[in-house]
């Protein structure tokens, strides 16, 4: 009996102390989860303040912040300015990622293959069916391409990765835009759907003659054969940190209301065409002002000290010019 | 109640008046017991009703938007403006995978059960019984991953090419077993489902086979029946209702299984006719898209859930009707 009592007592103490520390709560996108939790860990060590982030998906994150059950929401697909105004929300990009095409083709090494947007769209439309199709051959004159059918792999779950990938295809292919369009889940004309980035990476990794798209980190960590892309300036670029950051720096953040900007097909000769920011949502007039102020302290800290940690996890930090602008937004918009 | 029972024996000797009071107390106790159990039983109906109501409420926008065309539309285009949503693809996938799974699992499951109860030597009974129970204990996500990494590649590289070649040129079968081989397909999902529902069929069949009175079997053997004849003419007819109950339980699981199927079915909202092509089921579609859905898209997914509910209900009703007809026949 005493044993049970002491357990209950210990539980109560634990519960009361954790409630006392007033952790910041956030919920949403799964894509930035690794970096947010790494930041939270380091932040707790430095300041003693905790952050509880639940990666429940962008859509659910938006719902949670609108319902005011969390201090901040996180989403991979930015909300439109009208919707932000309607809900009284502020929005800004926190960190970026890049999406890369990956292939599994015998004899082809990472970085050897090149696609351009229209060809990628045609493959995912099912119009380009085999690897030795003239459209692919023209871009890759040095590669020996087999006549095998292309196995198209894509996400089965609704995801920000799909949102940005289909946004890019819509921008570069009129056919894609009218037939499929963009969204977290779309009507895929061909291909098999695998669950999560890890599912697509795994499926491409073990299926011969396949193509897929994943977050850069997954391509790198799974040692997949990534491909280069032809960007909007007509130059072939490889997926590198420099190319990703060029895309963010060349983007027109200053004129994007509510930071509503999708980072695909951005200008610049060195820009990687499919990068994506992941966004934070907070109420402009929060009900719990203390928690809100605490969250902003955390984000400030993350912008100041979190870059290296982000890069270690293959995320791309926001360019300093954008960070300065975001910090101005905070003081102007969020009342605390 | 126990106290009362002890008291009563004493009271009985005391006289008729006390006896009536004791009986009254018994009656009150019984009434309370009756109402408690009745409340438990009714609560099931209430919960079920609540689930149906909330499903209908959630699905209402989609019902208003699409109406009956939802059932016959094969397109699933949530990103379209306005969204075009149809359930035909997932319904097709759900039925096809469940039917194939049952076609595979019923004979094997019954075979195992017959072997275990009629033919198996004592020392082998426990290991096989345990293995079957273990199959039931494996979490569905493990089945999914095993299907994704082991069964899928094996099927695509060895089994499917062989089957595609074997049926080449045969009408109808040629379409059903059409290539190209795929790691993720309706057929692979069916196989996983078959393995997953096997324990349901086997365990319940074993239990009901054991209820056959030995006297019946001995009599049959006594007039010179073979083991096969005993099983076919004595054991199966005697336990038919129970066996079908087990099969229905298995079918229910096959219709609703989510995680393992999502991993291996390929999640494509298409109807191609070939069981080697990727497809989707109702539950897999909901599990995949629900988290990132909103508005009409989410309502459509809830409507899919409602359809699965109705589908399962129809299957169970059909099973009941079939059982009733069988009973009648047996009665005549």
């Amino acid at each position: 009996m005493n044993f049970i009592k002491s357990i209950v007592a210990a539980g109560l103490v634990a519960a009361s102390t954790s409630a006392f520390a007033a952790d910041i709560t956030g919920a949403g996108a799964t894509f930035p989860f690794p970096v947010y939790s790494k930041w939270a860990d380091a932040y707790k060590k430095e300041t003693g303040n905790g952050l509880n982030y639940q990666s429940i998906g962008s859509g659910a994150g938006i719902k949670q912040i609108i319902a005011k059950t969390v201090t901040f929401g996180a989403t991979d697909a930015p909300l439109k300015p009208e919707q932000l105004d309607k809900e009284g929300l502020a929005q800004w990009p926190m960190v970026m990622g890049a999406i890369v095409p990956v292939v599994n083709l015998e004899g082809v090494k990472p970085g050897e293959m090149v696609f351009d947007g229209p060809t990628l769209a045609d493959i995912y439309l099912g119009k380009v069916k085999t690897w030795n199709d003239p459209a692919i051959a023209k871009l890759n004159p040095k590669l020996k391409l087999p006549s095998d059918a292309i196995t198209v792999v894509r996400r089965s779950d609704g995801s920000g990765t799909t949102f940005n990938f289909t946004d890019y295809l819509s921008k570069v292919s009129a056919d894609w835009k009218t037939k499929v369009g963009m969204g977290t889940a779309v009507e895929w004309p061909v291909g098999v759907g695998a669950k999560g980035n890890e599912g697509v990476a795994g499926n491409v990794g073990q299926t011969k003659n396949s193509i897929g798209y994943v977050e850069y980190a997954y391509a790198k960590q799974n040692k997949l054969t990534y491909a280069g892309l032809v960007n909007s300036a007509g130059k072939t670029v490889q997926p590198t940190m420099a190319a990703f950051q060029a895309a963010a720096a060349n983007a027109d953040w200053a004129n994007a209301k509510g930071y509503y900007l999708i980072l695909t097909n951005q200008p610049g000769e060195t820009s990687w065409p499919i990068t994506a920011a992941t966004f934070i949502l907070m109420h402009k007039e929060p009900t719990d002002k203390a928690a809100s102020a605490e969250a902003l302290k955390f984000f400030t800290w993350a912008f100041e000290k979190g870059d290296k940690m982000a890069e270690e996890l293959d995320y791309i930090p926001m360019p300093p010019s954008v960070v300065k602008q975001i910090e101005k937004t905070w003081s102007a918009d969020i009342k605390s | 109640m126990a106290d009362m029972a002890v008291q009563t024996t004493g009271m009985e000797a005391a006289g008729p008046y006390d006896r009536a009071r004791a009986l009254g107390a018994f009656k009150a106790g019984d009434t309370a017991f009756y109402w408690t159990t009745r409340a438990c039983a009714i609560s099931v109906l209430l919960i079920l009703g609540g689930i149906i109501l909330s499903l209908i409420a959630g699905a209402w926008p989609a019902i208003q938007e699409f109406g009956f065309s939802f059932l016959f539309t094969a397109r699933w285009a949530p990103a379209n403006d306005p969204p075009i949503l149809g359930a035909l693809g997932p319904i097709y996938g759900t039925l096809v995978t469940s039917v194939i799974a049952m076609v595979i699992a019923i004979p094997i499951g019954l075979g195992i059960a017959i072997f275990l109860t009629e033919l198996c030597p004592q020392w082998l009974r426990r290991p096989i019984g345990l293995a079957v129970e273990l199959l039931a204990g494996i979490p569905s996500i493990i089945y999914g991953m095993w299907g994704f990494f082991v069964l899928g590649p094996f099927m695509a590289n060895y089994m499917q090419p062989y089957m595609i070649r074997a049926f080449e040129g045969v009408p109808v079968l040629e379409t059903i077993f059409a290539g190209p081989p795929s790691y993720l397909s309706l057929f692979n999902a069916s196989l996983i489902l078959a393995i997953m529902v096997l324990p349901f069929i086997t365990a319940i069949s074993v239990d009901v086979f054991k209820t056959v009175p030995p006297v019946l079997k001995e009599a049959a053997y006594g007039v010179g029946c073979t083991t096969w004849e005993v099983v076919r003419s004595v054991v199966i007819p005697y336990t038919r209702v129970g066996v079908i109950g087990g099969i229905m339980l298995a079918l229910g699981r096959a219709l609703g299984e989510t995680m393992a199927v999502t991993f291996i079915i390929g999640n494509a909202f298409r109807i191609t006719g070939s069981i080697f092509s990727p497809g989707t089921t109702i539950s897999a579609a909901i599990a995949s898209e629900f988290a990132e859905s909103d508005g009409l898209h989410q309502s459509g997914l809830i409507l899919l859930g409602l359809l699965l509910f109705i589908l399962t209900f129809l299957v169970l009703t059909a099973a009941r009707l079939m059982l009733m007809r069988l009973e009648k026949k047996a009665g005549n």
Side-chain angles (χ1 to χ4, degrees):
Chain A
M1 211 50 196
N2 267 332
F3 174 67
I4 293 172
K5 262 187 202 159
S6 60
I7 286 183
V8 170
L12 283 175
V13 170
S16 61
T17 46
S18 70
F20 191 68
D23 282 358
I24 316 158
T25 56
T30 48
F31 154 65
F33 174 68
V35 66
Y36 288 176
S37 54
K38 191 166 188 175
W39 282 343
D41 216 34
Y43 186 67
K44 175 129 195 167
K45 268 182 206 142
E46 222 178 283
T47 64
N49 292 329
L51 169 83
N52 178 8
Y53 182 73
Q54 307 275 336
S55 59
I56 52 177
S58 299
I62 293 169
K63 268 174 219 146
Q64 296 291 322
I65 186 68
I66 288 174
K68 299 188 177 178
T69 53
V70 287
T71 319
F72 70 89
T75 172
D76 291 339
L79 290 187
K80 293 213 168 83
E82 307 89 86
Q83 207 181 343
L84 290 175
D85 289 344
K86 204 183 117 210
E87 305 290 350
L89 292 169
Q91 169 177 266
W92 66 89
M94 195 65 217
V95 66
M96 294 181 297
I99 294 157
V100 299
V102 289
V103 298
N104 181 343
L105 206 56
E106 220 164 292
V108 176
K109 290 185 194 67
E112 281 189 347
M113 200 149 188
V114 176
F115 294 103
D116 61 8
T119 307
L120 211 52
D122 284 350
I123 292 172
Y124 272 86
L125 279 169
K127 284 207 276 186
V128 169
K129 289 193 173 74
T130 55
W131 283 106
N132 61 355
D133 189 281
I136 303 177
K138 212 175 116 195
L139 289 161
N140 300 283
K142 282 181 197 157
L143 289 178
K144 239 190 97 192
L145 297 163
S147 61
D148 294 302
I150 304 174
T151 302
V152 174
V153 184
R154 39 87 185 169
R155 291 283 288 271
S156 65
D157 45 338
S159 75
T161 314
T162 295
F163 176 86
N164 289 297
F165 185 68
T166 52
D167 177 78
Y168 171 66
L169 295 185
S170 296
K171 279 179 183 163
V172 294
S173 158
D175 219 16
W176 182 272
K177 193 173 179 181
T178 53
K179 280 189 185 149
V180 183
M182 58 163 307
T184 53
V186 296
E187 182 189 23
W188 298 96
V190 292
V192 295
K195 203 164 161 27
N197 272 303
E198 62 282 6
V200 174
N203 211 352
V204 170
Q206 64 174 349
T207 313
K208 270 185 201 147
N209 301 317
S210 64
I211 184 170
Y213 62 90
V214 291
E215 292 287 348
Y216 171 66
Y218 287 88
K220 199 179 157 194
Q221 284 152 21
N222 290 295
K223 299 196 169 57
L224 293 174
T225 309
Y226 56 82
L229 280 170
V230 178
N231 65 16
S232 65
K235 295 276 191 289
T236 300
V237 279
Q238 291 296 329
T240 59
M241 212 39 110
F244 303 152
Q245 244 162 355
N250 288 326
D252 186 13
W253 290 104
N255 292 317
K257 201 168 172 257
Y259 295 93
Y260 182 78
L261 190 61
I262 300 165
L263 284 178
T264 55
N265 213 29
Q266 292 299 321
E269 294 206 335
T270 53
S271 299
W272 181 252
I274 327 177
T275 47
T278 180
F279 296 82
I280 298 286
L281 293 165
M282 271 175 70
H283 282 282
K284 285 182 179 168
E285 292 186 32
T287 36
D288 185 350
K289 291 200 164 112
S292 187
E294 201 56 51
L296 285 183
K297 259 188 228 160
F298 168 75
F299 293 132
T300 312
W301 176 90
F303 276 142
E304 274 167 15
K305 301 192 178 172
D307 285 5
K308 228 186 121 232
M309 277 175 261
E311 277 176 28
E312 276 166 17
L313 291 169
D314 298 310
Y315 290 87
I316 309 138
M318 299 305 298
S321 58
V322 183
V323 171
K324 229 175 257 164
Q325 201 185 330
I326 293 169
E327 286 176 334
K328 249 185 248 162
T329 309
W330 289 345
S331 49
D333 282 1
I334 298 176
K335 298 197 174 72
S336 56
Chain B
M1 283 309 278
D3 291 344
M4 200 160 284
V6 173
Q7 273 176 8
T8 329
T9 32
M11 279 173 186
E12 252 177 328
Y17 179 71
D18 287 336
R19 186 186 149 96
R21 224 177 70 173
L23 282 178
F26 270 144
K27 205 176 167 194
D30 256 2
T31 318
F33 185 63
Y34 169 78
W35 281 106
T36 316
T37 50
R38 186 176 184 155
C40 292
I42 289 175
S43 71
V44 171
L45 288 180
L46 289 179
I47 293 169
L48 205 64
I51 293 173
I52 294 176
L53 282 182
S54 55
L55 276 178
I56 292 176
W60 193 247
I63 295 174
Q64 274 187 318
E65 176 75 24
F66 305 112
F68 273 106
S69 75
F70 189 75
L71 286 174
F72 309 109
T73 309
R75 274 189 78 186
W76 187 265
N80 213 58
D81 191 30
I84 298 168
L85 302 177
L88 203 57
I91 291 177
Y92 168 82
T94 307
L95 293 178
V96 166
T97 49
S98 299
V99 166
I100 299 175
M102 299 315 285
V103 165
I104 298 168
I106 291 173
I108 297 179
L110 287 182
I112 297 173
I114 292 169
F115 180 74
L116 276 180
T117 51
E118 308 295 327
L119 302 161
C120 187
Q122 272 302 333
W123 61 268
L124 198 57
R125 227 168 253 203
R126 268 190 79 80
I128 294 183
L130 268 173
V132 171
E133 275 167 37
L134 212 62
L135 277 184
I138 298 174
S140 63
I141 186 82
I142 306 291
Y143 278 111
M145 294 196 308
W146 178 71
F148 188 83
F149 288 112
V150 182
L151 184 76
F154 174 78
M155 292 301 294
N157 294 333
Y158 301 102
M159 282 296 288
Q160 291 181 5
Y162 172 77
M163 287 166 90
I164 292 164
R165 264 201 309 276
F167 291 109
E168 217 165 17
V170 187
V172 185
L173 289 180
E174 187 184 35
T175 339
I176 295 176
F177 297 97
S182 169
Y183 283 27
L184 311 176
S185 70
L186 287 168
F187 184 65
N188 294 356
S190 310
L191 277 185
I192 293 275
L193 278 180
I195 299 169
M196 291 179 76
V197 301
L198 202 58
F200 287 75
I201 298 175
T202 305
I204 291 177
S205 302
V206 165
D207 282 348
V208 294
F209 286 171
K210 279 184 189 156
T211 64
V212 179
V215 141
L216 286 184
K217 287 196 279 184
E218 279 157 17
Y221 281 121
V223 296
C225 288
T226 60
T227 311
W228 163 240
E229 282 166 338
V230 169
V231 168
R232 199 194 58 185
S233 312
V234 177
V235 176
I236 299 270
Y238 190 86
T239 56
R240 194 177 43 220
V241 176
V243 169
I244 292 182
I247 290 173
M248 284 306 140
L249 205 63
L251 181 56
R253 167 114 201 228
L255 286 170
E257 173 51 39
T258 309
M259 215 52 229
V261 172
T262 311
F263 257 71
I264 189 150
I265 200 161
N267 302 293
F269 287 81
R270 284 195 300 273
I271 301 173
T272 56
S274 165
I275 57 171
F276 292 153
S277 64
T280 191
T281 67
I282 294 177
S283 45
I286 299 171
S288 286
E289 293 189 3
F290 197 81
E292 294 282 341
S293 66
D294 52 16
L296 206 55
H297 182 196
Q298 189 163 72
S299 181
L301 289 171
I302 298 173
L303 183 51
L304 274 186
L306 184 63
L307 284 181
L308 182 59
F309 200 108
I310 296 169
L311 195 67
T312 317
F313 182 77
L314 287 180
V315 166
L316 291 178
T317 314
R320 287 266 152 222
L321 286 176
M322 199 170 80
L323 278 179
M324 270 162 62
R325 283 182 65 183
L326 279 174
E327 303 271 89
K328 242 187 194 166
K329 248 190 194 164
N332 292 341

